[in-house]
Amino acid sequence: MIKKWYRFGKTAMYIQRPDNMIIPENMSKFEISEPSVEDKKVYYEIEFVDDTKPVCEKIIANEPKVLAKRINFIVMETPAGECRFLYLIGWSLPFAVALQTAEDKWKVFIDTKSAGELHWDTVFISVLSLEKHIISWGGMILHTAFLCHKGEAILFSGPSEVGKSTQAGLWEKYTEDSRTVNGDRCLLRKENGVWYACGWPICGSSGICNNEKYPVKAIVMLRQAKENRCERLLGAKAFGEVFAQLTVNNWNPDFKRTVIDNTESLLNEIEVYELYCDISENAVKSLEEKLYPQSSV
């Protein structure tokens, strides 16, 4: 068995897994030798099974309450917390069953036939219920292209295919000291009164994944357009746009309230903009003039 620690924000995860289990390469960027005293710790034991059906039947026999049901997962309430059945497209049975056995302990059973899929970041991270730990300990996961510009995070967000990575790439091309940290998501958390964007092990099709953190300069909601213009978003409009791009366990009312409260805190301190843009240098200038008005004069 391979036994290693990983850290995501302030969440330290101990994972014990089979020697022959291949996991995403980017996980190595979050590996640590041991957790700190301040870390919130959670322990995972993963094993391969020939068939998840016996595991499912044993859990279902206790008639757990179904909390959520989607095309790719089912979440149930158990005496110890949660159990998740996770599915791959075309599978009638779960490829993995993640069972919480204590407040800080999980047992995961993975069908050996799915072993070849575990190198995909979205597949492997799903078995860890990672967003559950992040939310419960005060963090949030934002769908965004995470750009570092002069030591600050500019977060390009919006629906899939809106051009988040494209806009981040334009900043890399047309401005100095700009670099994409993650092309798909970031972890948001507040430390010592400052909101930070932190690295995340899922990076989507961009392939860009770095374990770094920077104070957040702004969140930019993107809109494709023929003409470039940028406007500040305020109040309910800003909240709705940002909240829609956060990972929320809607079946857990306490978690949903936590994300709502943290989003309100975030927006009290971080400016949100709506950028109508094409894929030219003018798109960069339109936003740059709002974010850095003195240097644009």
Side-chain angles (χ1 to χ4, degrees):
M1 299 293 284
I2 298 174
K3 304 175 183 180
K4 291 186 177 182
W5 281 100
Y6 301 87
R7 180 186 288 123
F8 310 98
K10 286 296 182 180
T11 300
M13 182 172 287
Y14 181 79
I15 300 177
Q16 178 178 307
R17 71 179 197 271
D19 294 335
N20 61 338
M21 179 179 286
I22 297 175
I23 66 173
E25 292 182 6
N26 286 328
M27 282 291 292
S28 64
K29 298 177 181 179
F30 297 83
E31 185 179 330
I32 57 174
S33 57
E34 58 183 3
S36 68
V37 175
E38 297 80 14
D39 286 336
K40 302 291 186 179
K41 304 171 187 65
V42 61
Y43 300 83
Y44 271 79
E45 181 183 350
I46 303 175
E47 72 172 75
F48 278 136
V49 294
D50 293 330
D51 189 350
T52 59
K53 186 175 181 179
V55 179
C56 296
E57 290 177 341
K58 184 176 181 180
I59 293 168
I60 293 173
N62 295 318
E63 299 182 346
K65 177 182 178 182
V66 175
L67 301 176
K69 190 172 184 180
R70 306 286 190 273
I71 191 171
N72 59 341
F73 69 87
I74 298 174
V75 181
M76 292 164 285
E77 185 178 48
T78 66
E82 278 188 4
C83 177
R84 300 188 179 193
F85 289 1
L86 303 161
Y87 295 83
L88 293 172
I89 295 175
W91 284 49
S92 59
L93 288 171
F95 82 90
V97 176
L99 177 65
Q100 190 173 6
T101 59
E103 183 178 356
D104 61 347
K105 292 182 174 62
W106 290 70
K107 182 69 180 285
V108 180
F109 305 90
I110 298 180
D111 191 315
T112 53
K113 294 185 291 296
S114 68
E117 304 296 323
L118 297 176
H119 70 283
W120 297 107
D121 52 19
T122 52
V123 175
F124 182 72
I125 296 302
S126 70
V127 309
L128 302 178
S129 309
L130 191 49
E131 88 292 335
K132 174 182 174 68
H133 309 303
I134 296 301
I135 295 172
S136 64
W137 296 327
M140 298 187 291
I141 304 162
L142 180 67
H143 188 206
T144 182
F146 169 10
L147 180 82
C148 173
H149 176 67
K150 297 183 178 180
E152 296 179 309
I154 300 174
L155 306 177
F156 295 100
S157 191
S160 297
E161 308 301 326
V162 75
K164 296 180 289 293
S165 295
T166 298
Q167 291 301 316
L170 290 173
W171 274 69
E172 290 182 333
K173 180 178 181 179
Y174 293 115
T175 68
E176 295 182 357
D177 198 13
S178 291
R179 182 173 53 84
T180 301
V181 177
N182 188 301
D184 191 62
R185 304 185 196 187
C186 81
L187 164 61
L188 290 167
R189 61 174 291 108
K190 195 173 186 178
E191 300 178 18
N192 300 317
V194 177
W195 279 99
Y196 286 92
C198 309
W200 190 246
I202 294 177
C203 60
S205 60
S206 74
I208 303 173
C209 178
N210 296 288
N211 184 14
E212 302 170 12
K213 76 172 186 179
Y214 300 97
V216 179
K217 172 66 175 179
I219 299 174
V220 184
M221 310 306 301
L222 299 178
R223 297 286 183 271
Q224 293 180 355
K226 294 181 179 180
E227 296 183 0
N228 298 291
R229 61 186 175 88
C230 185
E231 301 172 355
R232 174 88 181 274
L233 289 181
L234 299 169
K237 177 67 172 175
F239 179 92
E241 293 285 340
V242 173
F243 190 79
Q245 300 305 321
L246 293 168
T247 300
V248 184
N249 287 173
N250 286 308
W251 60 86
N252 187 320
D254 291 336
F255 277 17
K256 188 171 183 179
R257 170 49 59 185
T258 295
V259 176
I260 289 173
D261 290 344
N262 286 337
T263 304
E264 291 176 344
S265 172
L266 173 72
L267 299 187
N268 282 336
E269 300 172 40
I270 302 299
E271 294 180 348
V272 179
Y273 293 89
E274 189 168 45
L275 177 64
Y276 293 82
C277 55
D278 58 16
I279 53 174
S280 70
E281 184 178 3
N282 287 332
V284 175
K285 291 181 177 179
S286 294
L287 177 58
E288 190 175 26
E289 289 171 358
K290 293 291 186 179
L291 299 184
Y292 307 99
Q294 294 181 340
S295 59
S296 300
V297 175

